[in-house]
Amino acid sequence: MSSDDTLGVRLRPEIVAVPAYKQGRPAPADGFKLSSNENPFPPLPSVVEAVAATLRDLNRYPNAGGADLRERLAERHGVGVGQVHLGSGSVALLSQLISAAAGVGDEVVYSWRSFEAYPGLVTVAGATSVQVPNRPDGSHDLDAMAAAITDRTRVVIVCTPNNPTGTIVTTADFEAFMERVPSDLLVLLDEAYYEFVTDDAAVDGIPLLSRYPNLVVLRTFSKAYGLAALRIGYAVGPQAVLDAARSAAIPLSVTDASRVAALASIDAEDELMERVARLAMRRDRLRDALLEQGWAVPEAQGNFVWLATGEQTVEANDAFFDAGLTVRAFPPEGIRISVGEEESVDKLLQVAGDLVRNLPNGHPGKRLG
Ligand SMILES: *Cc1c(COP(=O)(O)O)cnc(C)c1O
């Protein structure tokens, strides 16, 4: 079938125009994949065992209500079971919540650059993206975001730490922002990297839920808990909003394997959070070394760092790739590098050091003075 055969099919033009989701390139042999913010540690034996035990029942549909995991999460977060909703990754939850609140003619406000899935999800819902530029330091411009809210706005997404720039929203700034947001406008607080945060000023959404009836917090097991392959995340928020998300969900999409892996991961929390602490220290060491080399690295509170390589993004990406490092390039803005294996750090710094020396003076990626 030639591609011309499909020309007669009437598709939504805005869907046809969505660029294909670009997954991080795989690592070259002997190299490191630092392009998808994955956890470099392999799964714990207890998690593998729990998943293996589900294989006997592959002929059955999953227990998608997930009462056991929801109860566990509700208990730890001090909320009711109805205020927890599971999804096949928090991207699925974002999709459901956006679709539940915004349709044709409605607007969704978010900072940009931020998580690359947001624009596509908004378009699929039929709604319109309103992208508010990040501040020069890579952080959300919450004043401008509040000012971008109109009668048509149905969802605002706040991403902290922000993927890909690594910056956080502080509690004080978030509270001031919420004062300006109408109480019937849904605010999604995307905390995919919550566990990596070490800055005490960072907002923590779940304790704020009792104050804001329009707030939903999103968390995932993909990053800190190292379950990216299994696709499991959760939302915490008002039951009525989560019920609407459930109505917008594809039924039975949370598998037993992902659910039991999440439970086993909560059981092994201490060990997993020790890994996270090591990754956060590795991140800080990496950022300090990059600053020392002369890079202007924004605050890094996720498991990644951002280099504003600007017009040099493609060549910098190639230089990392040639050294066996796959990173994520967003030309012409910059490069996001995940904090991976310990052995990747020196290799990374070697390439980054050569690159920064060759950047012209006044380049946005370069530190002043
Ligand atoms: C990785 C990521 C997610 C979610 O990933 P899932 O694997 O779908 O849970 C959500 N938001 C941001 C900002 C992310 O970087």
Side-chain angles (χ1 to χ4, degrees):
M1 205 167 71
S2 81
S3 59
D4 284 349
D5 292 336
T6 61
L7 282 178
V9 176
R10 298 210 290 193
L11 301 169
R12 289 166 58 195
E14 70 274 25
I15 300 291
V16 174
V18 171
Y21 186 86
K22 263 181 52 198
Q23 194 168 16
R25 279 196 280 192
D30 303 325
F32 296 98
K33 183 175 181 232
L34 307 175
S35 52
S36 297
N37 293 349
E38 292 156 342
N39 195 314
F41 291 101
L44 295 174
S46 61
V47 172
V48 173
E49 239 170 78
V51 171
T54 67
L55 298 179
R56 288 190 293 266
D57 297 317
L58 290 182
N59 54 317
R60 303 292 178 191
Y61 279 112
N63 160 14
D68 48 3
L69 178 56
R70 285 170 63 207
E71 275 163 25
R72 194 75 182 271
L73 292 168
E75 193 184 319
R76 73 163 1 187
H77 293 307
V79 298
V81 179
Q83 291 171 277
V84 179
H85 172 44
L86 306 177
S88 50
S90 59
V91 172
L93 297 163
L94 281 163
S95 167
Q96 294 164 19
L97 287 156
I98 292 168
S99 295
V104 175
D106 298 331
E107 295 176 349
V108 179
V109 171
Y110 52 89
S111 197
W112 197 253
R113 180 166 287 278
S114 187
F115 186 33
E116 65 250 64
Y118 297 154
L121 297 174
V122 172
T123 301
V124 169
T128 302
S129 284
V130 176
Q131 301 183 335
V132 177
N134 291 333
R135 291 189 189 119
D137 67 358
S139 65
H140 282 25
D141 186 342
L142 290 171
D143 283 337
M145 288 174 72
I149 293 168
T150 70
D151 291 350
R152 294 177 169 214
T153 312
R154 293 292 175 274
V155 183
V156 181
I157 309 173
V158 175
C159 185
T160 175
N162 186 49
N163 174 7
T165 54
T167 54
I168 52 138
V169 169
T170 66
T171 307
D173 287 351
F174 186 73
E175 288 173 346
F177 173 72
M178 290 303 280
E179 291 305 314
R180 294 180 60 184
V181 174
S183 62
D184 60 355
L185 171 56
L186 178 60
V187 177
L188 303 179
L189 189 63
D190 187 342
E191 296 187 333
Y193 301 96
Y194 173 85
E195 296 83 359
F196 295 101
V197 172
T198 51
D199 183 341
D200 292 337
V203 67
D204 179 358
I206 292 175
L208 297 177
L209 289 170
S210 55
R211 270 181 46 201
Y212 305 115
N214 54 333
L215 178 63
V216 171
V217 177
L218 298 170
R219 300 273 188 89
T220 179
F221 285 94
S222 295
K223 311 282 168 46
Y225 291 84
L227 298 182
L230 283 172
R231 318 301 305 121
I232 184 144
Y234 62 100
V236 189
Q239 172 150 4
V241 177
L242 298 187
D243 283 343
R246 289 177 187 107
S247 300
I250 293 169
L252 308 184
S253 54
V254 175
T255 65
D256 284 343
S258 65
R259 184 176 47 80
V260 301
L263 283 166
S265 299
I266 295 173
D267 286 338
E269 189 118 68
D270 290 350
E271 197 174 347
L272 291 173
M273 289 310 117
E274 214 232 33
R275 290 173 164 190
V276 167
R278 280 166 65 188
L279 289 169
M281 281 191 285
R282 192 175 296 166
R283 168 199 71 203
D284 291 346
R285 216 160 13 88
L286 173 61
R287 178 171 182 263
D288 288 346
L290 290 165
L291 287 169
E292 183 76 17
Q293 288 181 345
W295 288 98
V297 193
E299 175 186 33
Q301 287 285 300
N303 62 342
F304 53 89
V305 294
W306 173 254
L307 299 180
T309 40
E311 296 300 329
Q312 280 72 30
T313 296
V314 173
E315 64 182 82
N317 186 44
D318 290 343
F320 284 116
F321 190 73
D322 291 344
L325 306 166
T326 56
V327 298
R328 185 67 74 102
F330 299 98
E333 287 155 70
I335 284 181
R336 187 194 69 198
I337 306 173
S338 308
V339 177
E341 292 80 353
E342 175 66 30
E343 311 81 67
S344 68
V345 174
D346 283 349
K347 268 181 115 164
L348 187 58
L349 287 171
Q350 213 167 351
V351 179
D354 289 341
L355 286 169
V356 76
R357 270 191 295 281
N358 292 318
L359 290 182
N361 282 332
H363 188 284
K366 247 178 149 166
R367 220 149 47 87
L368 300 173

